[in-house]
């Protein structure tokens, strides 16, 4: 069965610290896609990154980086030199399969989220 | 701003009532998704439409229904409301309905059932 686990419910750091948010997923499909979304206190969900199952290259975008490891079914997210504006709930999500008549569309399966608090 | 609009932003209603939540996708997006976010269930997929047709269904209650109109906007109808239906309801859209495409979320409608 498909499942996403974010074991860290809450993390609190002081500004400028590095922080890693863990994400472990379960799927039986060989083709799948992983996502990270940010939900700031204002409530909207903001797309951060998408990764597909056949591309294990790590990605860096400014202070954000993502480490995808199929061997451990993990897709971890690191924020370097955290800032107060990074305070939010972060969600990891999974979608599966290829497009086709029997495919269940592009629904996202979300983890429970990790609430990150960055103190000044 | 994701480009996805949702109305109303807040809705307060009583048990047993019926409400309609409205969503307009980003320009050019053909697929619309509805999700429910609650403290106990987290973010749960409800239903997906692609170009006017239902594409996938999650654990959507029978009291809930949705549709996507020819202009691609979507409505989620919730009837016989119960206290447990209080939640934040998100609409999202993507260019196609494929799993590989990222979804862009609207600001959500916060439903409070009293």
């Amino acid at each position: 069965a498909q499942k996403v686990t974010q074991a860290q419910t809450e993390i609190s750091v002081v500004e400028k610290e590095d922080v890693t948010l863990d994400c472990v997923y379960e799927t039986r499909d060989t083709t799948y896609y992983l996502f990270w979304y940010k939900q700031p206190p204002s409530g909207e969900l903001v797309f951060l990154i998408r990764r597909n199952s056949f591309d294990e290259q790590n990605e860096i975008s400014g202070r954000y980086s993502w480490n995808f490891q199929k061997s451990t079914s993990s897709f971890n997210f690191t924020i370097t030199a955290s800032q107060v504006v990074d305070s939010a709930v972060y969600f990891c999500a999974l979608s599966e399969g290829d497009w086709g008549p029997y495919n269940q569309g592009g629904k996202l399966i979300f983890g429970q989220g990790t609430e990150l608090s960055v103190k000044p | 701003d994701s480009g996805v609009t949702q109305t109303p932003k807040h809705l307060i209603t009583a048990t047993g009532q019926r409400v309609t939540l409205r969503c307009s996708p980003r320009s050019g997006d053909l697929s619309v998704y509805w999700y429910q976010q609650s403290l106990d269930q987290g973010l749960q997929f409800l239903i997906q439409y692609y170009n006017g047709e239902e594409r996938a269904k999650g654990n959507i209650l029978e009291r809930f229904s949705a549709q996507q109109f020819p202009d691609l906007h979507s409505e989620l109808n919730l009837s016989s409301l119960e206290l447990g239906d209080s939640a934040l309801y998100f609409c999202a859209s993507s260019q196609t309905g494929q799993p590989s495409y990222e979804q862009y979320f609207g600001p959500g409608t916060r439903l409070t059932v009293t």
Side-chain angles (χ1 to χ4, degrees):
Chain A
Q2 58 282 69
K3 188 179 177 183
V4 176
T5 302
Q6 294 179 256
Q8 305 150 308
T9 307
E10 296 178 16
I11 300 176
S12 183
V13 299
V14 176
E15 213 170 15
K16 295 184 185 175
E17 281 187 40
D18 298 348
V19 58
T20 295
L21 309 182
D22 297 333
C23 172
V24 174
Y25 62 91
E26 293 176 33
T27 177
R28 286 178 291 194
D29 276 14
T30 54
T31 301
Y32 53 90
Y33 306 87
L34 297 163
F35 303 81
W36 277 94
Y37 283 84
K38 174 182 179 179
Q39 187 174 37
S42 51
E44 75 273 23
L45 280 161
V46 179
F47 166 75
L48 295 178
I49 190 172
R50 178 195 69 223
R51 215 78 191 117
N52 62 49
S53 55
F54 32 93
D55 181 4
E56 283 193 76
Q57 276 195 334
N58 292 330
E59 181 146 345
I60 298 173
S61 175
R63 296 183 298 106
Y64 294 173
S65 62
W66 290 270
N67 179 256
F68 175 31
Q69 290 197 342
K70 283 178 81 167
S71 60
T72 55
S73 297
S74 65
F75 185 43
N76 296 337
F77 173 28
T78 297
I79 302 175
T80 303
S82 59
Q83 300 176 1
V84 173
V85 293
D86 296 327
S87 297
V89 181
Y90 291 86
F91 291 94
C92 181
L94 165 74
S95 68
E96 298 171 312
D98 297 311
W99 184 253
Y102 304 107
N103 175 259
Q104 279 294 294
K107 67 177 181 183
L108 290 173
I109 299 149
F110 284 90
Q112 288 299 104
T114 296
E115 184 172 3
L116 174 65
S117 176
V118 182
K119 310 268 187 230
Chain B
D1 186 348
S2 67
V4 179
T5 60
Q6 287 187 250
T7 56
K9 196 167 175 60
H10 300 279
L11 202 45
I12 302 174
T13 189
T15 53
Q17 295 298 304
R18 173 189 169 94
V19 297
T20 298
L21 282 50
R22 185 189 166 99
C23 167
S24 291
R26 292 188 320 158
S27 177
D29 284 358
L30 296 177
S31 194
V32 167
Y33 305 76
W34 287 96
Y35 293 86
Q36 179 194 60
Q37 185 177 30
S38 61
L39 281 173
D40 52 343
Q41 296 290 326
L43 265 163
Q44 299 277 321
F45 167 73
L46 295 178
I47 197 163
Q48 176 196 5
Y49 282 84
Y50 173 71
N51 206 19
E53 294 194 5
E54 184 183 302
R55 189 71 178 89
K57 223 169 182 175
N59 294 327
I60 187 168
L61 298 171
E62 283 191 18
R63 301 183 285 108
F64 295 3
S65 65
Q67 59 184 130
Q68 186 180 28
F69 294 87
D71 67 352
L72 300 177
H73 91 270
S74 178
E75 291 181 358
L76 178 67
N77 300 296
L78 314 176
S79 61
S80 303
L81 285 167
E82 301 175 0
L83 295 177
D85 297 327
S86 295
L88 187 51
Y89 291 84
F90 284 108
C91 169
S93 72
S94 71
Q95 189 175 353
T96 77
Q98 297 182 53
S100 55
Y101 279 75
E102 59 268 24
Q103 296 174 28
Y104 291 90
F105 284 74
T109 292
R110 183 165 295 282
L111 173 67
T112 303
V113 182
T114 61

